[in-house]
């Protein structure tokens, strides 16, 4: 297919980028032999605006998108987090290209009210909407124009390219890692602070972005992960079905043993002895101590998680699932995260 992917491509970061699920999606689409044209709404708005003031370039960015659609004639448009693009523009695209499917992918949490509004808004014009929270939480969006699907956070072999599960304790100087500089809608740093008091005397616990440690991006982030045995997969809020930040895939894909709250119900999706689940703080600290003392067990669990993510939750499968569901094409794979749904997104 000819696919137009609208998403922020971080052009003005000049390599000092965050790990991008949108880039993983583009990579997966290309691996599936689709022709992909990218459109970075925020960058185009900045380039087209007077004095580079992005908000002043919004109207022009929408015009440039319409020009791109006319020239490229896509079969499918995937609109990610592209708030510069209006629903009116997407509706105009539908008029100009009536055989083109329009999908929206949303990788942000549902505990942020503005994001729930954003999904409702996009569902007014899209054929399909994909959300990185599990099906149990998505009933609030049913009844809209769009079909509603869950999508996971994938690994991309060119990004998650380390395998720390085959490294010994002596080869990994960071025993435990947690990277975050976000304080909105969360109290997780309170727990991390208490954990540091207990764990710092017995292990190297790095908290990049918090407690006076500078955040790490780009290659600095890669180097931090490359040196880590274990990681905390703490979300800003816990308890949403199958919701995790992209941190889950980044840790698992690099063979880093991760600890994740049990309330996300990932034990329904992931094989046993891959992710270490916890309920309470004391339970978590005890399990961290256990795996810190048993390196063979740490390696076994982290290796099993890495194999599963790279085999069953990789960018190639992820991208093809989105393309197939968007266009109502029968699934070509038994996607582990879609075992309970029909092609149209309804529950079996």
């Amino acid at each position: 297919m000819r696919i137009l992917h609208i998403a922020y491509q971080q052009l003005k970061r000049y390599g000092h980028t965050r790990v991008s699920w949108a880039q993983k999606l583009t990579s997966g689409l290309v691996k599936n032999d689709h022709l992909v044209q990218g459109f970075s709404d925020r960058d185009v708005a900045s380039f087209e605006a007077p004095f580079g003031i992005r908000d002043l370039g919004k109207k022009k960015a929408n015009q440039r998108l319409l020009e791109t659609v006319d020239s490229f004639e896509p079969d499918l448009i995937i609109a990610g987090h592209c708030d510069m693009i209006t629903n009116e523009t997407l509706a105009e695209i539908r008029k100009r290209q009536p055989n083109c499917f329009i999908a929206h992918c949303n990788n942000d949490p549902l505990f942020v009210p503005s994001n729930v509004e954003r999904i409702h808004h996009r569902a007014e014009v899209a054929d399909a909407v994909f959300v990185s929270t599990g099906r149990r939480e998505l009933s609030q969006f049913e009844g809209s124009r769009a079909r509603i699907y869950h999508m996971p956070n994938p690994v991309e072999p060119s990004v998650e390219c380390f395998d720390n599960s085959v490294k010994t304790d002596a080869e990994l100087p960071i025993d435990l890692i947690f990277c975050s500089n976000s304080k909105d809608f969360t109290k997780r740093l309170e727990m991390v602070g208490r954990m540091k008091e207990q764990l710092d005397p017995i292990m190297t616990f790095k908290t990049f972005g918090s407690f006076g440690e500078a955040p790490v991006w780009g290659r600095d982030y890669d180097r931090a992960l490359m040196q880590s045995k274990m990681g905390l997969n703490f979300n800003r809020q816990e308890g949403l079905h199958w919701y995790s930040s992209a941190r889950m895939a980044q840790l698992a894909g690099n063979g880093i043993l991760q600890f994740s709250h049990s309330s996300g119900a990932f034990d329904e999706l992931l094989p046993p002895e891959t992710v270490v689940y916890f309920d309470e703080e004391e339970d978590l600290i005890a399990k961290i101590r256990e795996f810190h003392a048993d390196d063979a067990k740490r390696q076994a669990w982290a290796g099993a998680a890495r194999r599963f993510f790279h085999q069953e939750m990789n960018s190639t499968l992820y991208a093809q699932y989105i393309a197939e569901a968007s266009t109502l094409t029968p699934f070509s794979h038994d996607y582990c995260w879609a075992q309970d749904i029909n092609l149209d997104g309804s529950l079996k």
Side-chain angles (χ1 to χ4, degrees):
M1 285 192 294
R2 300 172 67 85
I3 299 177
L4 177 59
H5 187 195
I6 312 168
Y8 180 38
Q9 295 172 13
Q10 307 182 72
L11 299 182
K12 294 181 71 174
R13 289 182 178 269
Y14 302 111
H16 199 59
T17 58
R18 303 168 185 258
V19 176
S20 170
W21 65 273
Q23 290 176 343
K24 291 181 179 181
L25 176 54
T26 293
S27 178
L29 292 169
V30 171
K31 290 177 184 179
N32 282 296
D33 296 330
H34 299 296
L35 176 61
V36 183
Q37 172 71 51
F39 187 93
S40 186
D41 64 312
R42 280 180 264 182
D43 290 312
V44 172
S46 294
F47 297 154
E48 295 282 359
F51 309 109
I53 301 173
R54 189 172 69 191
D55 288 345
L56 298 180
K58 180 176 179 179
K59 181 177 179 180
K60 195 68 172 181
N62 281 264
Q63 293 173 351
R64 293 301 192 194
L65 177 60
L66 291 173
E67 292 177 23
T68 302
V69 169
D70 289 341
S71 298
F72 186 64
E73 297 182 353
D75 301 303
L76 170 63
I77 292 175
I78 300 175
H81 296 174
C82 51
D83 291 344
M84 291 281 155
I85 304 305
T86 66
N87 273 11
E88 289 73 22
T89 295
L90 295 177
E92 177 62 24
I93 289 172
R94 189 178 300 283
K95 291 180 183 178
R96 298 186 184 193
Q97 301 288 337
N99 295 321
C100 177
F101 291 91
I102 298 176
H104 170 55
C105 291
N106 189 292
N107 206 49
D108 282 347
L110 299 183
F111 54 74
V112 179
S114 61
N115 191 49
V116 173
E117 295 172 5
R118 183 178 298 113
I119 295 171
H120 277 296
H121 183 61
R122 287 300 194 211
E124 295 174 2
V125 295
D127 296 298
V129 170
F130 299 85
V131 184
S132 60
T133 301
R135 287 285 316 183
R136 294 179 194 172
E137 316 292 343
L138 302 184
S139 60
Q140 60 186 301
F141 304 114
E142 293 174 355
S144 63
R145 184 191 191 285
R147 293 170 269 115
I148 308 298
Y149 302 87
H150 167 67
M151 67 177 186
N153 274 296
V155 301
E156 159 54 42
S158 64
V159 176
E160 281 79 32
C161 56
F162 310 128
D163 187 0
N164 293 5
S165 71
V166 299
K167 297 179 181 178
T168 64
D169 178 77
E171 296 174 285
L172 298 169
I174 300 175
D175 295 307
L176 185 64
I177 189 171
F178 177 68
C179 299
S180 173
N181 64 347
S182 176
K183 297 180 180 179
D184 295 335
F185 302 100
T186 187
K187 295 183 178 180
R188 62 186 171 184
L189 289 182
E190 296 177 9
M191 181 173 172
V192 175
R194 293 191 298 268
M195 293 176 63
K196 280 185 71 66
E197 292 179 358
Q198 297 187 57
L199 296 175
D200 268 348
I202 63 171
M203 65 179 68
T204 301
F205 182 10
K206 301 297 291 183
T207 54
F208 296 106
S210 305
F211 306 106
E213 295 185 58
V216 285
W217 309 110
R219 292 296 288 160
D220 290 334
Y221 182 56
D222 291 341
R223 281 185 278 269
L225 292 180
M226 186 168 53
Q227 299 178 73
S228 298
K229 285 173 51 177
M230 304 181 291
L232 298 179
N233 178 33
F234 283 5
N235 299 302
R236 286 184 288 163
Q237 292 186 27
E238 307 290 356
L240 293 177
H241 185 243
W242 287 5
Y243 171 73
S244 171
S245 73
R247 186 183 291 108
M248 172 173 273
Q250 293 162 17
L251 294 173
N254 284 308
I256 301 169
L257 180 70
Q258 66 180 286
F259 300 86
S260 187
H261 200 279
S262 62
S263 61
F266 278 101
D267 59 328
E268 301 173 354
L269 175 63
L270 307 178
E273 298 187 356
T274 52
V275 171
V276 185
Y277 302 106
F278 69 94
D279 295 306
E280 304 295 339
E281 188 174 331
E282 291 183 4
D283 175 40
L284 170 60
I285 291 175
K287 288 176 176 175
I288 291 172
R289 290 175 179 267
E290 174 189 353
F291 280 91
H292 179 56
D294 190 340
D295 205 45
K297 187 174 182 180
R298 186 269 305 175
Q299 290 177 309
W301 282 50
R306 188 180 190 277
R307 286 190 296 275
F308 180 79
F309 270 78
H310 277 270
Q311 291 171 9
E312 296 296 335
M313 298 181 73
N314 59 63
S315 62
T316 305
L317 292 176
Y318 165 77
Q320 192 60 17
Y321 162 76
I322 290 173
E324 290 171 349
S326 297
T327 59
L328 291 174
T329 301
F331 289 151
S332 60
H333 183 83
D334 291 330
Y335 304 109
C336 61
W337 60 85
Q339 297 295 317
D340 63 340
I341 67 168
N342 298 304
L343 179 59
D344 64 0
S346 62
L347 291 173
K348 291 182 178 178

